[in-house]
Each structure stands twice: as structure tokens, then as C-alpha cells.
């Protein structure tokens, strides 16, 4: 099996780097300064276990890769970049005949719940991954993950019934496990991802306010979560049972590494890097969309979605607005 990591940022870098460090066949797809750094110095991955530096082959896009029947396409771009990435890879020929969309599995190593739907529109075989991996893009060529006792827990399963061969899923989980990650396989992975979506509603709070830890930011995050739960219930969507969620998380700490305590999650990192876009349309925006479809008001997620999008577009840094201001806006 060869792992083609499409989007070698924080999550893609950690997963691809650990796989390469374990001797697995990996191709790192990246762009800009990250691609230059990977080509000149390789990729450094630091976890609580230690640091590895790996030098797998790199690619700027599908034009640089001769696809093989044993390839797995691992989508690790932010959700707003999913459609472009899928379209770029879908119609590429695979050795022996057929296209990537017909023959190769896609793994959505992403937050949110709409990447799988986008992938299933084009690819026949889609693996969903619930990513518990506190990963940081430190600088070009360097990433880290602070989870303990393993860097991350990556729960995987078919994104749609019968869309994934069971042997392939087991082999993929085996490679992740060999890389030092935990990779439980489950038939109800989308229920795990909807539960994770609820946690990720606070990503925008952290990015906008710089923290989720003070009282007002905590209240904002709690209200976003309550709206999310009401919407998912109204939509009849199955969310992972809280007891199962807590048990699965019991011995796993989503910590940051020493010296990186001041860093934040993926949306916070988007603002710090000034990438100009943020994932809120696919996180808080998913709740807003479902709220509209099922007539459940979502004022808190709507404010977070709009404010996060504006903050990214104006290159605002984390902490540009207080939670009190946002709470007042949600009141109308
Ligand atoms: N970071 C974390 O701790 C966690 C993140 N996640 C989820 O994982 C996903 C990835 O997040 P994260 O790793 O933080 O994001 P990053 O922004 O760190 O990494 C994504 C990378 O993909 C690159 N990219 C985008 N489009 C393409 C493309 N078409 N071809 C090649 N490279 C591309 C980006 O380049 P550029 O910078 O130029 O845009 C960037 O380097 C998101 O869904 C996120 O929510 C889930 C759990 C934890
Ligand atoms: C849970 C968390 C915050 C881990 O970093 C995450 O999923 C993210 O950064 O998007």
C-alpha cells in the first residue's frame, strides 16, 4: 500500500511523516514554501515519543505521480480546499487501466462531515476518519502532535455502506498502528464524526477570541454546542453516544507539547498563518445549514461562521474580538 498524502500540513504531515518513519511507502503532496522545504530538507515530525526526520518522495500535484493500484489517496486539506483537490485527482489514470475515482480509495482525514459526501460524488470507495490528533504546522518542513500516550486516535470506517473493502480497511489500520497511531475500525464512523463536529464548533471561538478558556468564551462555545445538538437531533442524525465517546477518550490526552502550550487548533493556526480562508463554513456552517433545513434557530453558530470568515479574509490574528462582543451579537 502506498499513502499519497494530499495536503501535507499539520495533520497530513504528522500522519505521512510517522508512516514514512515506520518504513511505509509515502508520497507527500504539498505546495508553496512547504513543498520547497520538503524537497530540500525533508519533513521533521515531533511527538511526545520523539522526533523523526523523513525524506519521502514529494509532489506538487497529480501530474507528478504515476498512480498505482495499491495507492490510497489521503485527503488532509482543509474542507474549503476539498472540492479542488478531489477534482484534480479524480480522472487521473491508474496503472493497469481505469481512473483514480474508479479504482483508488480516498481517506478523508479531516474535520467536518461534508468532505465524505464530496468525495463520494466522484470516488467509488471512501474511508471516513475521525481525527483526534492535536497537530501543529510549526514552519515549512516541521510539524508536531502532542497527544499522549499516542500522538493521535484516528477512528476509521466506510463513509457509506459497502464503499470500502474490509481487507483494505484492516490493512490501512495496520499501517497507521505500525506508525504509532491508534486506528480503531468502526462501522458507524460518521456518528463519531458528527460528535467531533460538535467539539469543533469551538474552533471558531478559539480563533476569534484567542482562547476558549475564559468564562465568556466558554459560554459561547457551550451555546454553539447546545445549538449543534438541537439541530442534529431535529435532523435525526445519529451522534456517537456520550458514554462511548468518553470511554474512547479516557486514556487519551489531546495535549500540546512542552513549549507549544500557547498554540491552538486548526482554525487558530489558519489565522496565525494568514492563509486567507478558514474552515468555519464547513463546521459552524454545517449546523447553520441543517438548522435552516429543519427550522431550528442557530444564532450563535451563524455569528461564529460570519465572524470567522471575515477574520480570515481580513488577515485578523487570533484574539481580534472578545467573546462578550460576540455574545451580544448573537442576541440580535
Ligand atoms: N490541526 C489539527 O490539530 C487538526 C486538524 N484536523 C482537520 O484536518 C484537516 C487538515 O487540517 P490541518 O492539517 O490543520 O490544515 P493545514 O492547513 O495545516 O494543512 C493543509 C495543507 O494542505 C495544503 N493544500 C491545500 N490544498 C492543496 C492541494 N490541492 N494540493 C496540495 N496541498 C494542498 C495547504 O497548503 P496552504 O497552506 O498553501 O493552503 C496546507 O499545507 C482539516 O479538516 C482540520 O479541521 C482535525 C483534527 C486536528
Ligand atoms: C480538537 C482539535 C482542536 C485538536 O487540535 C481539532 O480538531 C482541531 O484543531 O481542529
Amino acid at each position: 500500500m502506498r499513502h499519497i498524502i494530499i495536503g501535507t500540513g499539520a495533520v497530513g504531515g504528522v500522519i505521512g511523516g510517522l508512516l514514512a518513519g515506520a518504513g511505509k511507502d509515502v508520497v507527500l503532496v504539498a505546495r508553496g514554501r512547504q513543498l520547497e522545504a520538503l524537497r530540500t530538507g525533508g519533513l521533521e515530525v515531533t511527538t511526545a515519543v520523539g522526533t523523526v526526520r523523513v525524506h519521502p518522495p514529494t509532489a506538487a500535484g497529480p501530474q507528478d505521480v504515476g498512480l498505482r493500484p495499491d495507492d490510497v489517496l489521503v485527503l488532509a486539506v482543509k474542507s474549503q480546499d476539498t472540492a479542488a483537490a478531489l477534482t484534480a485527482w479524480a480522472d487521473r489514470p491508474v496503472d493497469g487501466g481505469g481512473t483514480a475515482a474508479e479504482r483508488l480509495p480516498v481517506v478523508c482525514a479531516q474535520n467536518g462531515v461534508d468532505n465524505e459526501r464530496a468525495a463520494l460524488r466522484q470516488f467509488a470507495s471512501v474511508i471516513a476518519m475521525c481525527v483526534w490528533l492535536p497537530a501543529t504546522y510549526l514552519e515549512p518542513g516541521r510539524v508536531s502532535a502532542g497527544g499522549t500516550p499516542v500522538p493521535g486516535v484516528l477512528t476509521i470506517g466506510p463513509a457509506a455502506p459497502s464503499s470500502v473493502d474490509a481487507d483494505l480497511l484492516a490493512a490501512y489500520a495496520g499501517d497507521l498502528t505500525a506508525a504509532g497511531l491508534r486506528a480503531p475500525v468502526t462501522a458507524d464512523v460518521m456518528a463519531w464524526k458528527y460528535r467531533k463536529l460538535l467539539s469543533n464548533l469551538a474552533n471558531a471561538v478559539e480563533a476569534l477570541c484567542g482562547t476558549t478558556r475564559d468564562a465568556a468564551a466558554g459560554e459561547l462555545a457551550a451555546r454553539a454546542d447546545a445549538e449543534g445538538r438541537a439541530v442534529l437531533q431535529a435532523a435525526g442524525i445519529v451522534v456517537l453516544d456520550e458514554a462511548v465517546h468518553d470511554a474512547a477518550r479516557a486514556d487519551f490526552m489531546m495535549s500540546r507539547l512542552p513549549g507549544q502550550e500557547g498554540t491552538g487548533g486548526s482554525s487558530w493556526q489558519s489565522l496565525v498563518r494568514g492563509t486567507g480562508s478558514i474552515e468555519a463554513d464547513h463546521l459552524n456552517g454545517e449546523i447553520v445549514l441543517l438548522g435552516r433545513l429543519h427550522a431550528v434557530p442557530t444564532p450563535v453558530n451563524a455569528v461564529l461562521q460570519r465572524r470567522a470568515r471575515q477574520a480570515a479574509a481580513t488577515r485578523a490574528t487570533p484574539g481580534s474580538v472578545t467573546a462578550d462582543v460576540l455574545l451580544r451579537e448573537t442576541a440580535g
Side-chain angles (χ1 to χ4, degrees):
M1 177 178 292
R2 183 171 68 165
H3 305 258
I4 311 238
I5 309 291
I6 304 174
T8 309
V11 164
V14 171
I15 295 176
L18 293 179
L19 284 166
K24 303 297 173 191
D25 212 354
V26 171
V27 177
L28 300 177
V29 185
R31 59 189 186 186
R33 292 177 60 215
Q34 173 74 331
L35 180 63
E36 275 169 43
L38 296 174
R39 285 187 165 159
T40 48
L43 174 65
E44 183 185 284
V45 185
T46 302
T47 67
V49 178
T51 296
V52 290
R53 180 167 285 279
V54 292
H55 302 265
T58 58
Q63 68 282 1
D64 295 346
V65 186
L67 290 174
R68 310 186 323 214
D70 66 337
D71 283 336
V72 173
L73 303 179
V74 182
L75 203 54
V77 301
K78 293 253 165 63
S79 304
Q80 63 271 25
D81 294 323
T82 289
L86 287 169
T87 299
W89 288 82
D91 294 328
R92 302 302 294 189
V94 178
D95 263 9
T99 64
E102 291 163 338
R103 298 203 47 208
L104 303 184
V106 169
V107 179
C108 295
Q110 300 164 293
N111 282 327
V113 290
D114 60 356
N115 298 297
E116 287 77 9
R117 290 186 302 221
L120 281 164
R121 241 171 242 132
Q122 300 186 49
F123 285 78
S125 177
V126 178
I127 297 174
M129 178 188 282
C130 178
V131 186
W132 284 337
L133 177 71
T136 307
Y137 176 91
L138 297 168
E139 62 181 7
R142 288 182 63 228
V143 295
S144 70
T148 53
V150 287
V153 179
L154 309 176
T155 306
I156 56 171
S162 328
S163 86
V164 186
D165 178 75
D167 291 343
L168 171 83
L169 208 49
Y172 182 62
D175 275 11
L176 292 174
T177 308
L181 295 154
R182 217 177 265 170
V185 177
T186 177
D188 64 347
V189 64
M190 291 313 294
W192 290 66
K193 293 201 70 155
Y194 275 100
R195 175 61 187 79
K196 179 87 196 300
L197 173 66
L198 292 171
S199 301
N200 289 127
L201 300 178
N203 282 25
V205 178
E206 183 185 51
L208 288 166
C209 309
T211 181
T212 52
R213 288 173 200 273
D214 69 39
E219 186 185 335
L220 200 53
R223 286 180 53 191
D225 176 88
E227 271 182 20
R229 286 174 195 271
V231 162
L232 296 182
Q233 191 178 17
I237 289 170
V238 179
V239 181
L240 183 69
D241 180 76
E242 281 305 307
V244 178
H245 173 264
D246 293 350
R249 293 282 303 271
D251 74 330
F252 176 65
M253 298 294 294
M254 294 272 279
S255 24
R256 300 270 161 204
L257 291 175
Q260 292 174 23
E261 293 87 354
T263 62
S266 53
S267 298
W268 182 95
Q269 290 177 48
S270 288
L271 291 193
V272 167
R273 278 159 56 202
T275 56
S277 75
I278 197 161
E279 217 170 14
D281 282 341
H282 301 266
L283 302 174
N284 310 86
E286 182 73 25
I287 297 302
V288 171
L289 164 66
L290 288 170
R292 287 181 181 136
L293 289 173
H294 297 278
V296 179
T298 59
V300 176
N301 283 288
V303 165
L304 291 172
Q305 177 189 6
R306 176 175 52 77
R307 282 293 210 145
R309 200 170 49 227
Q310 287 168 352
T314 58
R315 306 291 200 274
T317 51
S320 61
V321 60
T322 66
D324 285 318
V325 166
L326 296 176
L327 280 169
R328 276 200 295 278
E329 280 181 21
T330 66

